[in-house]
Amino acid sequence: MNQTVIENRKKISSACASCFTALEKYAEACNAFKAEKERISTLLYIEEEKERMVNKAAENLRTAAEAQYTEISRNLEDIKAASEEMAGILDIGEEFQNTLSVIKTIGHDLPVEARFSLVSPFKGQKQVLEILQAAYSAAGLDTEPYFKGLIFDPKSRMDGLVESAYRIVLQPSDSLLSAAAFARSLEAFADDTGAELPSRFNDLTDLSSIYMDAVYAAAGITPAK
């Protein structure tokens, strides 16, 4: 495998891990804010004082969100640089030539699993994938299942990730839906470049309660404590 591809996949994996760590810290800040709001609601203070205390807690959350967004942004720049370098690589060496030979020789008789596995080593290499897609098509193979989401413009995808990450600081609250949505998009991007993720956001933060809270909120239900 191309050494530059290997190195860039490692960079993407490392940067994603740093993003997930930042998201975990953001999740802790969100949970602290939620707990503080619940504590304040039980105090025998006048409503104006309670509101002041909640606003102070919200300001602390905004500060935490901005700090983690700064960390995430720095890592997204590293991911962008690595993915763009990978996309520009056109390595038609022995591994690629052997893959083309298999496709041309076996063609439509290729088992489904083999059709996926032949593409996998070249994830993130846009130019190489475009040639492989043409080879699949020429061999009479349906390209959609095997190349779906893999041939993309890194800049466009990264712009979307930056926008998704910014929603975390745009209006931080005790909901982690924005953070979870960003994490899913980032994980999908890493998968599409062939980067291996030793952990995912769901491994660090329990998302089940997040989605249940969203369901309750949408239904106008206050969950029992």
Side-chain angles (χ1 to χ4, degrees), residues 126-191:
K126 183 173 181 288
Q127 296 185 73
V128 174
L129 288 172
E130 288 172 339
I131 297 173
L132 284 180
Q133 185 180 49
Y136 270 54
S137 181
L141 300 172
D142 180 14
T143 61
E144 178 65 15
Y146 316 111
F147 293 87
K148 185 177 182 180
L150 298 184
I151 299 177
F152 58 87
D153 171 33
K155 182 182 182 304
S156 177
R157 287 278 295 270
M158 289 305 304
D159 286 347
L161 281 171
V162 170
E163 181 180 344
S164 180
Y166 185 66
R167 295 193 188 103
I168 296 171
V169 294
L170 190 61
Q171 196 172 6
S173 68
D174 55 16
S175 171
L176 288 172
L177 287 176
S178 293
F182 166 68
R184 287 196 304 270
S185 296
L186 183 59
E187 288 165 358
F189 184 88
D191 291 340

Coordinates of all heavy atoms in Angstrom, one line a residue, residues 126-191:
K126 N -9.2 9.4 -4.5 CA -10.3 9.7 -5.4 C -10.0 9.3 -6.9 O -10.8 8.7 -7.6 CB -10.6 11.2 -5.4 CG -11.7 11.7 -6.2 CD -12.0 13.2 -5.9 CE -13.2 13.7 -6.8 NZ -12.8 13.8 -8.2
Q127 N -8.8 9.7 -7.4 CA -8.5 9.4 -8.8 C -8.4 7.9 -9.0 O -8.9 7.4 -10.1 CB -7.1 10.0 -9.1 CG -7.2 11.5 -9.1 CD -5.9 12.1 -9.6 OE1 -5.6 12.2 -10.7 NE2 -5.1 12.6 -8.6
V128 N -7.8 7.1 -8.1 CA -7.7 5.7 -8.3 C -9.1 5.1 -8.2 O -9.4 4.2 -9.1 CB -6.9 5.1 -7.2 CG1 -6.9 3.6 -7.2 CG2 -5.4 5.6 -7.3
L129 N -10.0 5.5 -7.3 CA -11.3 5.0 -7.2 C -12.1 5.3 -8.5 O -13.0 4.4 -8.9 CB -12.0 5.6 -6.0 CG -11.6 5.1 -4.7 CD1 -12.2 5.9 -3.6 CD2 -11.9 3.6 -4.5
E130 N -11.9 6.4 -9.1 CA -12.6 6.7 -10.4 C -12.3 5.7 -11.5 O -13.1 5.3 -12.3 CB -12.3 8.2 -10.8 CG -13.0 9.2 -9.9 CD -12.5 10.6 -10.2 OE1 -11.5 10.8 -10.8 OE2 -13.3 11.6 -9.8
I131 N -11.0 5.4 -11.5 CA -10.5 4.4 -12.5 C -11.1 3.0 -12.2 O -11.6 2.3 -13.1 CB -9.0 4.3 -12.6 CG1 -8.4 5.6 -13.0 CG2 -8.5 3.2 -13.5 CD1 -6.9 5.7 -12.9
L132 N -11.1 2.6 -10.9 CA -11.7 1.3 -10.5 C -13.2 1.3 -10.8 O -13.7 0.3 -11.3 CB -11.5 1.1 -9.1 CG -10.1 0.6 -8.6 CD1 -10.0 0.4 -7.1 CD2 -9.7 -0.6 -9.4
Q133 N -13.9 2.4 -10.6 CA -15.3 2.5 -10.9 C -15.6 2.2 -12.4 O -16.5 1.5 -12.7 CB -15.9 3.8 -10.4 CG -17.4 3.9 -10.6 CD -17.9 5.3 -10.1 OE1 -17.4 6.3 -10.5 NE2 -18.9 5.3 -9.3
A134 N -14.7 2.8 -13.2 CA -14.9 2.6 -14.6 C -14.6 1.2 -15.0 O -15.3 0.6 -15.9 CB -13.9 3.6 -15.4
A135 N -13.6 0.6 -14.3 CA -13.3 -0.8 -14.6 C -14.5 -1.7 -14.2 O -14.8 -2.7 -14.9 CB -12.1 -1.2 -13.9
Y136 N -15.1 -1.5 -13.1 CA -16.3 -2.2 -12.6 C -17.4 -2.1 -13.7 O -18.1 -3.1 -14.1 CB -16.8 -1.7 -11.3 CG -16.2 -2.4 -10.1 CD1 -14.8 -2.5 -9.9 CD2 -17.0 -3.0 -9.1 CE1 -14.2 -3.1 -8.9 CE2 -16.4 -3.6 -8.0 CZ -15.0 -3.7 -7.9 OH -14.5 -4.3 -6.8
S137 N -17.6 -0.9 -14.1 CA -18.7 -0.6 -15.1 C -18.4 -1.4 -16.4 O -19.3 -2.0 -17.0 CB -18.8 0.9 -15.3 OG -19.8 1.2 -16.3
A138 N -17.1 -1.3 -16.8 CA -16.8 -2.0 -18.1 C -16.9 -3.5 -18.0 O -17.2 -4.2 -19.0 CB -15.3 -1.7 -18.4
A139 N -16.8 -4.0 -16.7 CA -16.9 -5.5 -16.5 C -18.4 -5.9 -16.3 O -18.7 -7.0 -16.0 CB -16.1 -5.9 -15.3
G140 N -19.3 -4.9 -16.4 CA -20.7 -5.2 -16.3 C -21.2 -5.3 -14.8 O -22.2 -5.8 -14.5
L141 N -20.4 -4.7 -13.9 CA -20.8 -4.7 -12.5 C -21.5 -3.4 -12.1 O -21.1 -2.3 -12.6 CB -19.5 -4.9 -11.6 CG -18.7 -6.1 -11.9 CD1 -17.4 -6.1 -11.1 CD2 -19.5 -7.3 -11.4
D142 N -22.5 -3.5 -11.3 CA -23.2 -2.3 -10.8 C -22.3 -1.6 -9.8 O -21.8 -2.2 -8.8 CB -24.5 -2.8 -10.1 CG -25.2 -1.6 -9.5 OD1 -24.9 -0.4 -9.9 OD2 -26.2 -1.8 -8.7
T143 N -21.9 -0.4 -10.1 CA -20.9 0.3 -9.2 C -21.5 0.9 -8.0 O -20.8 1.1 -7.0 CB -20.2 1.4 -10.0 OG1 -21.2 2.4 -10.4 CG2 -19.6 0.9 -11.3
E144 N -22.8 1.2 -7.9 CA -23.4 1.9 -6.8 C -23.1 1.3 -5.4 O -22.7 2.0 -4.5 CB -24.9 2.1 -7.0 CG -25.7 2.8 -5.9 CD -25.3 4.2 -5.7 OE1 -24.6 4.8 -6.7 OE2 -25.6 4.8 -4.7
P145 N -23.3 0.0 -5.3 CA -23.1 -0.6 -3.9 C -21.7 -0.5 -3.4 O -21.4 -0.4 -2.2 CB -23.6 -2.0 -4.0 CG -24.4 -2.1 -5.3 CD -23.8 -1.0 -6.2
Y146 N -20.7 -0.6 -4.3 CA -19.3 -0.7 -4.0 C -18.6 0.6 -3.9 O -17.5 0.7 -3.2 CB -18.6 -1.6 -5.0 CG -19.5 -2.9 -5.3 CD1 -20.1 -3.0 -6.5 CD2 -19.8 -3.8 -4.2 CE1 -20.9 -4.1 -6.7 CE2 -20.6 -4.9 -4.5 CZ -21.1 -5.1 -5.7 OH -22.0 -6.1 -6.0
F147 N -19.1 1.7 -4.5 CA -18.4 3.0 -4.5 C -19.2 4.1 -3.9 O -18.8 5.2 -3.8 CB -18.1 3.4 -6.0 CG -17.0 2.5 -6.6 CD1 -17.4 1.3 -7.3 CD2 -15.7 2.8 -6.5 CE1 -16.5 0.5 -7.9 CE2 -14.7 2.0 -7.1 CZ -15.1 0.8 -7.8
K148 N -20.4 3.7 -3.4 CA -21.3 4.7 -2.8 C -20.6 5.5 -1.6 O -20.1 4.9 -0.7 CB -22.6 4.0 -2.2 CG -23.6 5.0 -1.7 CD -24.9 4.3 -1.2 CE -25.9 5.3 -0.7 NZ -27.1 4.6 -0.3
G149 N -20.5 6.8 -1.8 CA -19.9 7.7 -0.8 C -18.4 7.7 -0.8 O -17.8 8.5 0.0
L150 N -17.8 6.9 -1.6 CA -16.3 6.8 -1.6 C -15.6 7.8 -2.5 O -14.5 8.2 -2.3 CB -15.9 5.4 -1.9 CG -16.3 4.3 -1.0 CD1 -15.7 3.0 -1.4 CD2 -16.0 4.6 0.4
I151 N -16.3 8.3 -3.6 CA -15.7 9.2 -4.5 C -16.3 10.6 -4.2 O -17.4 10.9 -4.5 CB -15.9 8.8 -6.0 CG1 -15.3 7.4 -6.2 CG2 -15.4 9.8 -6.9 CD1 -15.6 6.9 -7.6
F152 N -15.5 11.4 -3.6 CA -16.0 12.7 -3.1 C -14.9 13.8 -3.2 O -13.7 13.4 -3.2 CB -16.5 12.6 -1.7 CG -15.5 12.1 -0.7 CD1 -14.7 13.0 0.0 CD2 -15.4 10.7 -0.4 CE1 -13.8 12.5 0.9 CE2 -14.5 10.3 0.5 CZ -13.7 11.2 1.2
D153 N -15.3 15.0 -3.1 CA -14.4 16.1 -3.0 C -14.1 16.4 -1.5 O -15.1 16.8 -0.8 CB -15.0 17.4 -3.7 CG -14.2 18.6 -3.4 OD1 -13.0 18.5 -3.3 OD2 -14.8 19.7 -3.3
P154 N -12.9 16.2 -1.0 CA -12.6 16.4 0.4 C -13.0 17.7 0.9 O -13.5 17.9 2.0 CB -11.1 16.1 0.5 CG -10.8 15.3 -0.7 CD -11.7 15.7 -1.8
K155 N -12.8 18.8 0.1 CA -13.1 20.1 0.6 C -14.5 20.3 0.9 O -14.9 20.9 1.9 CB -12.6 21.2 -0.4 CG -12.8 22.6 0.0 CD -12.4 23.6 -1.0 CE -12.6 25.1 -0.5 NZ -14.0 25.3 0.0
S156 N -15.4 19.8 0.0 CA -16.8 19.9 0.1 C -17.3 19.2 1.4 O -18.1 19.7 2.2 CB -17.5 19.4 -1.1 OG -18.9 19.5 -0.9
R157 N -16.8 18.0 1.6 CA -17.2 17.2 2.7 C -16.7 17.8 4.0 O -17.4 17.9 5.0 CB -16.6 15.8 2.7 CG -17.3 14.8 1.7 CD -18.5 14.2 2.2 NE -18.3 13.3 3.3 CZ -18.0 12.0 3.2 NH1 -18.0 11.4 2.0 NH2 -17.9 11.2 4.2
M158 N -15.5 18.4 4.0 CA -14.9 19.0 5.2 C -15.7 20.3 5.5 O -15.9 20.6 6.7 CB -13.4 19.4 5.0 CG -12.5 18.1 5.0 SD -12.7 17.1 6.4 CE -12.3 18.3 7.7
D159 N -16.1 21.0 4.5 CA -16.9 22.2 4.8 C -18.2 21.9 5.5 O -18.6 22.6 6.4 CB -17.3 22.9 3.4 CG -16.1 23.7 2.8 OD1 -15.1 23.8 3.5 OD2 -16.2 24.0 1.6
G160 N -18.8 20.7 5.2 CA -20.0 20.2 5.8 C -19.6 19.9 7.3 O -20.4 20.1 8.2
L161 N -18.5 19.3 7.5 CA -18.1 18.9 8.9 C -17.8 20.1 9.7 O -18.2 20.1 10.9 CB -16.8 18.0 8.8 CG -17.0 16.5 8.4 CD1 -15.7 15.9 8.2 CD2 -17.8 15.8 9.5
V162 N -17.2 21.1 9.2 CA -17.0 22.3 9.9 C -18.3 23.0 10.3 O -18.4 23.4 11.5 CB -16.1 23.3 9.1 CG1 -16.0 24.7 9.8 CG2 -14.7 22.8 8.9
E163 N -19.2 23.0 9.4 CA -20.5 23.6 9.7 C -21.2 22.8 10.8 O -21.9 23.4 11.7 CB -21.4 23.6 8.4 CG -22.8 24.2 8.6 CD -23.6 24.2 7.3 OE1 -23.0 24.0 6.2 OE2 -24.8 24.4 7.4
S164 N -21.1 21.5 10.7 CA -21.8 20.6 11.7 C -21.2 20.8 13.1 O -21.9 20.9 14.1 CB -21.6 19.2 11.3 OG -22.2 18.3 12.2
A165 N -19.8 21.0 13.1 CA -19.1 21.2 14.4 C -19.5 22.5 15.0 O -19.7 22.7 16.2 CB -17.6 21.1 14.2
Y166 N -19.7 23.5 14.1 CA -20.0 24.9 14.6 C -21.4 24.9 15.3 O -21.6 25.8 16.2 CB -20.0 25.9 13.5 CG -20.2 27.3 13.9 CD1 -19.2 27.9 14.7 CD2 -21.3 28.0 13.6 CE1 -19.4 29.2 15.2 CE2 -21.5 29.3 14.0 CZ -20.5 29.9 14.8 OH -20.7 31.2 15.3
R167 N -22.3 24.0 15.0 CA -23.6 24.0 15.6 C -23.5 23.7 17.1 O -24.4 24.1 17.9 CB -24.5 23.0 15.0 CG -24.9 23.3 13.5 CD -26.0 22.4 13.0 NE -26.2 22.6 11.6 CZ -25.8 21.7 10.7 NH1 -25.2 20.6 11.1 NH2 -26.0 21.9 9.4
I168 N -22.4 23.1 17.5 CA -22.1 22.9 18.9 C -22.0 24.2 19.7 O -22.5 24.2 20.9 CB -20.9 22.0 19.1 CG1 -21.0 20.6 18.4 CG2 -20.5 21.8 20.6 CD1 -19.8 19.8 18.4
V169 N -21.4 25.2 19.1 CA -21.2 26.4 19.9 C -22.2 27.5 19.5 O -22.4 28.5 20.2 CB -19.8 27.0 19.6 CG1 -18.7 26.1 20.2 CG2 -19.5 27.2 18.1
L170 N -22.9 27.2 18.4 CA -23.9 28.2 18.0 C -25.0 28.4 19.0 O -25.4 29.5 19.3 CB -24.5 27.8 16.6 CG -25.4 28.8 15.9 CD1 -24.6 30.0 15.5 CD2 -26.0 28.1 14.6
Q171 N -25.5 27.3 19.6 CA -26.5 27.4 20.6 C -26.4 26.2 21.6 O -27.2 25.3 21.6 CB -27.9 27.4 20.0 CG -29.0 27.9 20.9 CD -30.3 28.1 20.2 OE1 -30.4 27.7 19.0 NE2 -31.3 28.6 20.9
P172 N -25.3 26.2 22.4 CA -25.1 25.1 23.3 C -26.2 25.0 24.3 O -26.8 26.0 24.8 CB -23.8 25.5 24.0 CG -23.7 26.9 23.9 CD -24.3 27.3 22.6
S173 N -26.6 23.7 24.6 CA -27.6 23.5 25.6 C -27.3 22.2 26.3 O -26.3 21.6 26.1 CB -29.0 23.4 24.9 OG -29.1 22.3 24.1
D174 N -28.3 21.7 27.1 CA -28.0 20.4 27.7 C -28.3 19.2 26.8 O -28.1 18.1 27.1 CB -28.8 20.2 29.0 CG -30.3 20.4 28.8 OD1 -30.8 20.4 27.6 OD2 -31.1 20.6 29.7
S175 N -28.7 19.5 25.5 CA -28.9 18.5 24.5 C -27.6 18.2 23.8 O -26.9 19.1 23.4 CB -30.0 18.9 23.5 OG -30.0 18.0 22.4
L176 N -27.3 16.9 23.6 CA -26.1 16.5 22.8 C -26.4 16.1 21.4 O -25.5 15.4 20.8 CB -25.4 15.4 23.6 CG -24.7 15.8 24.9 CD1 -24.2 14.6 25.6 CD2 -23.5 16.8 24.6
L177 N -27.6 16.4 20.9 CA -27.9 15.9 19.6 C -27.0 16.5 18.5 O -26.6 15.8 17.6 CB -29.4 16.3 19.2 CG -30.5 15.5 20.0 CD1 -31.8 16.1 19.6 CD2 -30.4 14.1 19.6
S178 N -26.6 17.8 18.6 CA -25.7 18.4 17.7 C -24.3 17.7 17.7 O -23.7 17.4 16.6 CB -25.5 19.9 17.9 OG -26.7 20.6 17.7
A179 N -23.9 17.4 18.9 CA -22.6 16.7 19.0 C -22.6 15.3 18.5 O -21.7 14.9 17.8 CB -22.2 16.7 20.5
A180 N -23.7 14.6 18.7 CA -23.9 13.3 18.2 C -23.9 13.3 16.7 O -23.4 12.4 16.0 CB -25.1 12.6 18.8
A181 N -24.6 14.3 16.1 CA -24.8 14.4 14.6 C -23.4 14.6 14.0 O -23.0 14.0 13.0 CB -25.7 15.5 14.3
F182 N -22.6 15.5 14.6 CA -21.3 15.8 14.1 C -20.4 14.6 14.2 O -19.7 14.3 13.3 CB -20.6 16.9 14.9 CG -19.2 17.1 14.7 CD1 -18.7 17.5 13.5 CD2 -18.3 16.8 15.7 CE1 -17.3 17.6 13.2 CE2 -16.9 16.9 15.5 CZ -16.4 17.3 14.2
A183 N -20.5 13.9 15.3 CA -19.7 12.6 15.5 C -20.0 11.6 14.4 O -19.1 11.0 13.9 CB -19.9 12.1 16.9
R184 N -21.3 11.4 14.1 CA -21.6 10.4 13.1 C -21.1 10.8 11.7 O -20.6 10.0 11.0 CB -23.2 10.3 13.0 CG -23.8 9.6 14.2 CD -25.2 9.2 13.9 NE -26.1 10.3 13.5 CZ -26.8 11.1 14.3 NH1 -26.7 10.8 15.6 NH2 -27.5 12.1 13.9
S185 N -21.1 12.1 11.4 CA -20.6 12.6 10.1 C -19.1 12.4 10.1 O -18.6 12.1 9.0 CB -21.0 14.1 9.9 OG -22.4 14.3 9.9
L186 N -18.4 12.7 11.2 CA -17.0 12.6 11.2 C -16.6 11.1 11.1 O -15.6 10.8 10.4 CB -16.4 13.1 12.5 CG -14.9 13.1 12.7 CD1 -14.2 13.9 11.6 CD2 -14.5 13.7 14.1
E187 N -17.3 10.2 11.8 CA -17.0 8.8 11.7 C -17.2 8.3 10.2 O -16.4 7.5 9.7 CB -17.9 8.0 12.6 CG -17.5 8.2 14.1 CD -18.6 7.8 15.1 OE1 -19.7 7.3 14.6 OE2 -18.4 7.9 16.3
A188 N -18.3 8.7 9.6 CA -18.6 8.3 8.2 C -17.4 8.8 7.3 O -17.0 8.1 6.4 CB -19.9 8.9 7.7
F189 N -16.9 10.0 7.5 CA -15.9 10.6 6.7 C -14.6 9.7 6.9 O -13.9 9.3 5.9 CB -15.6 12.0 7.1 CG -14.5 12.7 6.2 CD1 -14.8 13.3 5.1 CD2 -13.2 12.6 6.6 CE1 -13.8 13.9 4.3 CE2 -12.2 13.2 5.8 CZ -12.5 13.8 4.7
A190 N -14.3 9.4 8.1 CA -13.1 8.5 8.4 C -13.2 7.2 7.7 O -12.3 6.7 7.1 CB -12.9 8.4 9.9
D191 N -14.4 6.6 7.8 CA -14.6 5.3 7.2 C -14.4 5.4 5.7 O -13.9 4.4 5.1 CB -16.1 4.8 7.5 CG -16.3 4.4 9.0 OD1 -15.3 4.2 9.6 OD2 -17.4 4.4 9.4

